């Protein structure tokens, strides 16, 4: 890169929508804190320290696994022009399916983990894939059906963990401890960082390869660019739409399994959905402007915000909910920038 090209490249990076969105959210968040009488200079360092300092990094990495997984669960259908907002139901059913296989099917060794992961993937894929025919044959938008199916799916998982699979003698709705053969091995000397991290990273690399280097990836991008154009070009629109939703659901189900097979090695009612991994994953994809290679980075950024919020609340006295406000501001700013770019085009 020549010296004359460097300023132009730097300007494009600085003015990129994700950078502008994050910077704008940070500035607006600082304004909110200033109005509330809190020093942003104290709050933001506490947020970073709460995510990566004082031994907190393993917790952040553990949270990054489901956040990235749920980002992929939204990003894959999004690439094909579909909106998968039913991540919570797919996540919950994937987690409970993994728990059922781990507890009830006596598979030996590594097959116990593999069987639980496969069951979770199938459960998530089926839950999301139902929306494909509803959209292509009945004209019901996937953005609506995935969201509507999510509620009964989450309720079903809640019923199973409260009654047929409940551990007796406890006041918490949870399954018994999973057998050791079905537990993901820990990595790096930390019980919270498990083999789920390399699994989700390998899946991400696989998606990037499919998206950018295969015919299927091209077909999904063409479908997302224009459904009528794709149909005119002879692409199997219905099959591609259903496959993209099922693939997104499969990733959500996998994320549920990676949570259940990691500490505390059991399915706890509400523990998979209450952290808001689905919303954070959607925000990561929108912040990345749908660009696949940027999704792992934006997912990491939002994970730091989410986990660091607890440290900010503890050390700076700022409510942890501020991080959710920052995520919402990021989405709003991205939407505003996208609308402005669209209006500027002739």
């Amino acid at each position: 890169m020549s010296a004359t090209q460097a300023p132009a490249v730097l300007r494009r990076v600085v003015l990129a929508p994700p950078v502008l969105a994050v910077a704008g959210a940070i500035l607006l968040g600082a304004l909110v804190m200033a109005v509330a009488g809190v020093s942003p200079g104290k709050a933001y360092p506490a947020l970073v320290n709460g995510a990566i300092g004082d031994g907190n990094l393993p917790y952040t990495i553990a949270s990054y696994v489901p956040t990235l997984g749920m980002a992929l669960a939204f990003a894959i259908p999004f690439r094909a022009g579909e909106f998968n907002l039913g991540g919570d139901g797919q996540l919950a059913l994937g987690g409970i399916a993994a728990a059922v296989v781990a507890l009830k099917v006596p598979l030996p060794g590594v097959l116990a983990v593999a069987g639980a992961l496969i069951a979770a993937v199938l459960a998530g894929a089926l839950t999301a894939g139902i929306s494909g025919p509803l959209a292509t044959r009945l004209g019901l938008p996937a953005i609506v059906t995935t969201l509507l199916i999510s509620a009964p799916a989450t309720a079903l998982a809640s019923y199973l963990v409260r009654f047929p699979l409940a551990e007796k003698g406890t006041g918490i709705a949870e399954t018994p401890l999973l057998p050791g053969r079905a537990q993901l091995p820990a990595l790096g000397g930390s019980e919270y960082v498990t083999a789920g991290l390399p699994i989700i990273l390998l899946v991400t690399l696989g998606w990037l390869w499919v998206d950018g280097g295969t015919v299927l990836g091209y077909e999904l991008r063409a479908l997302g660019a224009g459904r009528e154009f794709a149909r005119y070009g002879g692409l199997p629109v219905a099959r591609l739409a259903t496959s993209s939703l099922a693939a997104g659901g499969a990733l959500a189900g996998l994320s549920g399994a990676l949570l259940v097979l990691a500490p505390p090695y059991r399915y706890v009612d509400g523990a998979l959905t209450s952290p808001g991994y689905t919303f954070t994953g959607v925000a990561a994809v929108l912040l990345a402007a749908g660009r696949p290679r940027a999704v792992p980075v934006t997912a990491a950024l939002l994970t730091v915000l989410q986990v660091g919020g607890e440290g900010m609340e503890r050390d700076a006295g700022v409510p942890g909910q501020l991080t959710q406000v920052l995520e919402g501001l990021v989405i709003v700013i991205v939407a505003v920038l996208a609308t402005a770019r669209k209006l500027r085009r002739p």
Side-chain angles (χ1 to χ4, degrees), residues 56-57 62 75 83 97 110 158 214 285 300 341:
N56 295 322
L57 183 58
F83 295 85
V110 69
S158 181
T214 67
V285 176
R341 288 197 307 272

Side-chain angles (χ1 to χ4, degrees), residues 60-315:
T60 302
I61 294 175
S63 295
Y64 178 65
V65 171
T67 300
L68 178 57
M70 295 310 294
L72 298 181
F74 181 79
I76 295 174
F78 185 69
R79 198 68 161 157
E82 299 289 352
F83 295 85
N84 178 22
L85 295 185
D88 277 354
Q90 299 149 23
L91 181 76
L93 282 187
I96 202 67
V100 168
V101 171
L103 292 169
K104 303 298 183 181
V105 182
L107 294 173
V110 69
L111 292 179
V113 173
L117 293 179
I118 292 172
V121 166
L122 293 176
L126 178 62
T127 306
I130 295 173
S131 296
L134 293 177
T136 57
R137 296 184 180 276
L138 301 180
L140 300 176
I143 192 174
V144 175
T145 56
T146 53
L147 192 59
L148 291 178
I149 293 172
S150 178
T154 305
L156 175 59
S158 181
Y159 165 77
L160 292 174
V161 74
R162 287 177 178 273
F163 296 101
L165 298 175
E167 184 174 27
K168 309 301 181 184
T170 66
I172 303 175
E174 62 183 12
T175 65
L177 184 70
L178 301 186
R181 66 179 185 277
Q183 298 177 7
L184 288 171
L187 301 177
S190 171
E191 62 174 325
Y192 294 99
V193 181
T194 69
L197 178 63
I199 289 174
I200 201 65
L201 291 178
L202 286 174
V203 170
T204 302
L205 290 175
W207 171 58
L208 293 176
W209 173 74
V210 169
D211 181 82
T214 67
V215 174
L216 176 59
Y218 170 78
E219 291 178 343
L220 291 174
R221 296 197 307 273
L223 182 62
R227 181 144 301 190
E228 293 304 319
F229 174 79
R231 183 176 287 110
Y232 180 79
L235 296 182
V237 171
R239 178 173 62 82
L240 288 172
T242 301
S243 298
S244 69
L245 287 167
L251 265 296
L254 176 65
S255 301
L258 295 179
L259 284 169
V260 171
L261 302 184
Y265 302 113
R266 64 177 81 225
Y267 186 101
V268 181
D269 190 29
L272 273 64
T273 56
S274 58
Y277 295 122
T278 297
F279 175 77
T280 305
V282 171
V285 176
L286 295 180
L287 178 58
R291 293 176 296 179
R293 292 184 180 179
V295 169
V297 178
T298 55
L301 174 63
L302 293 183
T303 301
V304 169
L305 280 178
Q306 192 175 49
V307 177
E310 298 178 7
M312 186 171 61
E313 184 171 12
R314 181 182 61 251
D315 299 334

